[in-house]
């Protein structure tokens, strides 16, 4: 395995060895990720051999339609999880959400991309040379599919809800909010005709020649020469998928899928969310819970767990740096940080949540008024070893999982304080808001309280130093920092608090300012008493708290969370759907 090392220079003599994913133009290495994420869109290739899925984290998965096995994964932007469409020749696939991205399937590379679009609907022309898409509320554009440059513009007096190409590619239909469908010449942009829609046409398509199918709040309809025929009135209507030959279509409405074909009876089958038709006309694809299924009638040919990455809601690194636990979708998984292999999985309780904790090789899970410890064995398997009954049942923060801090026999979770020798007699400090974090210092005899009070005038943030009897010793004003994350150094002598405008390092004995950075860090963890790893939208940085400067910044994408093991030698940096393993060499 290739490992790149960046020297940070004297006097610290620290270096970081970053193991990065193979797709990036830097050395390959380990990546931890969780599958089983929500599927927002599916599409079937024109030849029926490939099924594509798009998830909440932007990745596009290509599966073998014969077996359901994952063939390839295309890296999308984290904010892109909209509709997928294959080009008619099956050589390209496009994904739309906050931007439009097109991949060449032979090379797996992005060949065109633009963010100058709006909405969730677009369509390829039959010859694959053009894409029609909504640019803003009252403007649709015709784009060259190779460059995504604008060729023609269609402007309306009311909001555009949907767009479609005719079967011969000569006309473009625009579904308008005022319950009309405007027909234009695709090559000249000239207005040709107008049809009346029964409801708001949130999705439209040409089917069976000149017929236009629409779906919206009033159901599913077909328009023939101005006469609308209601085919289904079930609400709510979620999406419509038209077969490539335009002879069949399926709509998803509530828990069911409705199939339509010329001169055929409507068929209703059970489906839970997204659906698509197979080109052979006898099979269809559905998303059922966290599974993707290829169906023949009511019988699944195969059923596989969602291949798309799940949004990582929390992560824990064991004290020896060997294992990492990732939390997503009420499940946790244990990974070997050297190989990335998934070694164990388990379910979180319905009302349980993980506590961020890196001091021991354990998973710490709060379940109601219980604090459960799950030990991780030498092979990555976990088992519950003990539990504590807590007097006050902590609840998840509005900003994600709480962190647990321990010093001596004092344990804190968010604003709640517990004595380990008597956990049933927990308490909170007076005047501490539910969004606060309490860190014990001085062997648990004093508390550093990060307090946030939210009002109509905004958020007032302070750091206060208190005795266990709630008497404040010192207060440091953090108003305007937006107190996003905080950590304490290994010897409990310093705390760091980061926000959108600045990052402060304070002495825990007096709350005097040791260092201040104008860089807006989103998350941070101490490596040792003088250095922290800090992440934000620009990547990951090593920050010297004494000099208050950043000695290294690594472009790993937007970092949302950082964890460091108990030795200060291994760290995890998360981008939301991927976790980078970082080796820290002293």
């Amino acid at each position: 395995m290739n490992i790149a090392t960046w020297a940070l220079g004297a006097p610290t003599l620290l270096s970081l060895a970053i193991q990065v994913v193979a797709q990036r133009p830097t050395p390959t290495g380990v990546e931890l990720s969780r599958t089983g994420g929500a599927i927002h869109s599916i599409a079937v290739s024109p030849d029926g051999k490939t099924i594509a899925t798009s998830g909440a984290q932007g990745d596009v998965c290509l599966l073998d339609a014969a077996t359901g096995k994952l063939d390839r994964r295309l890296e999308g932007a984290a904010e892109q999880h909209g509709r997928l469409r294959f080009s008619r020749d099956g050589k390209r696939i496009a994904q739309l959400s906050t931007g439009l991205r097109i991949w060449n399937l032979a090379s797996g590379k992005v060949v065109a991309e633009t963010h100058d679009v709006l909405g969730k609907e677009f369509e390829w022309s039959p010859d694959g040379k053009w894409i029609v898409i909504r640019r803003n509320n009252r403007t649709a554009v015709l784009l060259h599919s190779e460059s995504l440059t604008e060729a023609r513009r269609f402007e309306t007096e009311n909001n555009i809800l949907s767009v479609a190409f005719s079967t011969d590619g000569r006309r473009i239909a625009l579904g308008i909010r005022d319950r009309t469908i405007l027909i234009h010449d695709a090559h000249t942009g000239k207005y040709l005709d107008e049809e009346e829609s029964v409801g708001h046409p949130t999705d439209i398509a040409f089917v069976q020649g000149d017929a236009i199918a629409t779906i919206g709040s009033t159901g599913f309809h077909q328009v023939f020469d101005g006469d609308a025929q209601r085919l289904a009135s079930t609400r709510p209507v979620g999406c419509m998928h038209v077969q490539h030959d335009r002879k069949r279509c399926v709509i998803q409405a509530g828990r069911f899928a409705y199939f339509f074909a010329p001169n055929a009876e409507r068929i209703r089958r059970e489906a839970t969310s997204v659906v698509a038709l197979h080109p052979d006309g006898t099979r269809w694809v559905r998303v059922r819970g966290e599974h993707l299924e290829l169906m023949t009638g009511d019988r699944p040919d195969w059923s596989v767990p969602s291949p798309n990455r799940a949004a990582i809601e929390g992560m824990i690194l064991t004290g020896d740096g060997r294992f990492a636990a990732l939390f997503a979708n009420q499940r946790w998984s244990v990974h070997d940080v050297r190989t990335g292999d998934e070694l164990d999985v388990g379910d979180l309780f319905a009302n349980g949540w993980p506590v961020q904790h890196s001091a021991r090789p354990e998973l710490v899970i709060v379940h109601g008024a219980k604090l459960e410890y799950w030990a991780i064995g030498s092979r990555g398997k976990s088992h519950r070893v003990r539990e504590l009954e807590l007097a006050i049942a902590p609840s998840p923060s509005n900003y994600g999982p709480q962190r647990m801090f321990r010093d001596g026999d004092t344990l804190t979770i968010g604003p709640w304080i517990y004595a380990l020798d008597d956990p049933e007699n927990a308490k909170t400090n007076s005047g501490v808001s539910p969004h606060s974090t309490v860190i014990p210092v001085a062997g648990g005899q004093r508390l550093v309280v990060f307090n946030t009070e939210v009002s109509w005038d905004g958020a007032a943030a302070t750091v206060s130093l208190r005795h266990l009897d709630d008497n404040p010793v010192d207060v440091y004003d953090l108003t305007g920092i937006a107190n996003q994350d905080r950590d304490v150094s290994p010897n409990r002598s310093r705390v760091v608090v980061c926000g959108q405008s600045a990052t402060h390092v304070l002495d825990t004995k007096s709350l005097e300012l040791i260092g201040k950075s104008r860089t807006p860090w989103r998350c941070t963890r101490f490596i040792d008493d003088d250095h922290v790893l800090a992440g934000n939208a620009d990547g990951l940085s090593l920050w010297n708290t004494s000099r208050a400067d950043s000695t290294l910044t690594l472009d790993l994408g937007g970092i949302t969370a950082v964890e460091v093991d108990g030795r200060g030698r291994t760290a995890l940096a998360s981008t939301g759907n991927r976790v980078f393993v970082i080796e820290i060499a002293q």
Side-chain angles (χ1 to χ4, degrees), residues 530-542:
D530 294 316
H531 299 86
V532 297
L533 280 180
N536 59 12
D538 296 327
L540 187 70
S541 295
L542 180 67

Side-chain angles (χ1 to χ4, degrees), residues 526-564:
F526 274 95
I527 295 175
D528 55 31
D529 296 322
D530 294 316
H531 299 86
V532 297
L533 280 180
N536 59 12
D538 296 327
L540 187 70
S541 295
L542 180 67
W543 188 39
N544 187 307
T545 60
S546 298
R547 297 201 306 261
D549 62 354
S550 299
T551 52
L552 177 69
T553 298
L554 301 174
D555 181 12
L556 299 177
I559 301 300
T560 60
V562 178
E563 287 296 330
V564 178

Side-chain angles (χ1 to χ4, degrees), residues 179-181 194-198 223 226 228:
R179 302 191 177 193
T180 59
I181 301 172
E194 179 178 317
E195 300 283 5
E196 182 180 353
S197 174
V198 176
V223 180

Side-chain angles (χ1 to χ4, degrees), residues 430-547:
S430 60
V432 175
S433 78
H435 306 307
S436 299
T437 299
V438 178
I439 300 178
V441 295
Q445 298 304 307
R446 287 184 296 174
L447 305 170
V448 178
V449 181
F450 296 87
N451 197 28
T452 303
E453 293 291 344
V454 181
S455 66
W456 291 106
D457 298 328
T462 62
V463 175
S464 61
L465 186 64
R466 299 170 179 260
H467 293 294
L468 283 177
D469 59 6
D470 294 342
N471 293 328
V473 178
D474 291 291
V475 177
Y476 189 89
D477 188 11
L478 292 171
T479 300
I481 295 183
N483 191 3
Q484 293 192 113
D485 195 17
R486 74 290 303 163
D487 195 27
V488 62
S489 63
N491 67 359
R492 295 296 194 270
S493 64
R494 299 178 180 184
V495 290
V496 58
V497 55
C498 60
Q500 295 177 345
S501 59
T503 300
H504 293 218
V505 178
L506 307 175
D507 187 295
T508 61
K509 295 180 180 179
S510 61
L511 290 190
E512 292 182 356
L513 181 66
I514 296 176
K516 181 177 179 180
S517 171
R518 295 294 182 183
T519 303
W521 305 116
R522 180 175 181 177
C523 52
T524 183
R525 294 292 181 268
F526 274 95
I527 295 175
D528 55 31
D529 296 322
D530 294 316
H531 299 86
V532 297
L533 280 180
N536 59 12
D538 296 327
L540 187 70
S541 295
L542 180 67
W543 188 39
N544 187 307
T545 60
S546 298
R547 297 201 306 261

Side-chain angles (χ1 to χ4, degrees), residues 28 39 111 152 158 162 237 247 254 281 309 344 363 378 385 422 462 502 509 513 527 539 554:
T28 61
I39 296 176
V111 294
R152 197 154 292 105
N158 212 313
S162 50
V237 176
K247 293 182 179 180
R309 292 190 178 102
D344 197 10
L363 306 181
S378 60
V385 292
D422 189 14
T462 62
K509 295 180 180 179
L513 181 66
I527 295 175
L554 301 174

Side-chain angles (χ1 to χ4, degrees), residues 230-484:
R230 176 174 291 189
L231 302 179
S233 58
T234 304
R235 305 180 189 181
V237 176
C239 61
M240 172 171 57
H241 186 277
V242 180
Q243 206 168 16
H244 294 284
D245 61 9
R246 304 303 176 99
K247 293 182 179 180
R248 296 176 179 84
C249 68
V250 59
I251 67 169
Q252 182 270 323
R255 294 177 49 249
F256 299 98
Y258 295 84
F259 296 82
F260 300 89
N263 303 319
E265 183 180 357
R266 183 186 72 187
I267 301 174
R268 187 182 82 162
R269 301 192 186 280
E270 186 176 357
T272 57
S273 56
V274 189
V275 293
L277 283 169
H278 193 278
D280 63 13
T282 62
R283 292 181 291 174
W284 58 293
V285 185
R286 73 177 181 183
V287 176
R288 185 177 178 85
E290 295 183 356
H291 283 72
L292 182 72
E293 299 179 335
L294 179 65
M295 308 292 294
T296 300
D298 291 323
R299 179 182 56 82
D301 293 349
W302 49 254
S303 178
V304 297
S306 166
N308 291 93
R309 292 190 178 102
I312 296 173
E313 301 163 359
M315 57 186 186
I316 295 174
L317 188 62
T318 58
D320 57 8
R322 292 182 57 192
F323 303 108
L326 308 182
F327 299 84
N329 295 340
Q330 291 296 316
R331 291 179 62 82
W332 52 263
S333 58
V334 178
H335 298 256
D336 187 317
V337 299
R338 296 168 181 80
T339 65
D341 293 341
E342 186 176 87
L343 305 176
D344 197 10
V345 295
D347 290 321
L348 285 175
F349 302 103
N351 60 342
W353 44 281
V355 179
Q356 305 286 27
H357 177 62
S358 60
R360 293 191 175 119
E362 299 172 324
L363 306 181
V364 184
I365 299 173
V366 171
H367 175 221
K370 293 182 179 180
L371 186 68
E372 299 189 351
Y373 291 82
W374 290 65
I376 301 177
S378 60
R379 297 185 179 182
K381 297 297 181 180
S382 58
H383 62 281
R384 185 169 58 188
V385 292
R386 60 179 171 140
E387 63 182 41
L388 296 176
E389 292 287 342
L390 303 177
I392 301 175
S395 59
S397 163
N398 290 340
Y399 308 105
Q402 295 280 7
R403 294 197 64 210
M404 181 176 75
F405 293 95
R406 179 179 176 181
D407 193 26
D409 293 328
T410 301
L411 174 72
T412 63
I413 305 176
W416 296 274
I417 305 166
Y418 306 90
L420 290 181
D421 57 352
D422 189 14
E424 296 184 2
N425 290 321
K427 66 175 183 176
T428 59
N429 284 85
S430 60
V432 175
S433 78
H435 306 307
S436 299
T437 299
V438 178
I439 300 178
V441 295
Q445 298 304 307
R446 287 184 296 174
L447 305 170
V448 178
V449 181
F450 296 87
N451 197 28
T452 303
E453 293 291 344
V454 181
S455 66
W456 291 106
D457 298 328
T462 62
V463 175
S464 61
L465 186 64
R466 299 170 179 260
H467 293 294
L468 283 177
D469 59 6
D470 294 342
N471 293 328
V473 178
D474 291 291
V475 177
Y476 189 89
D477 188 11
L478 292 171
T479 300
I481 295 183
N483 191 3
Q484 293 192 113

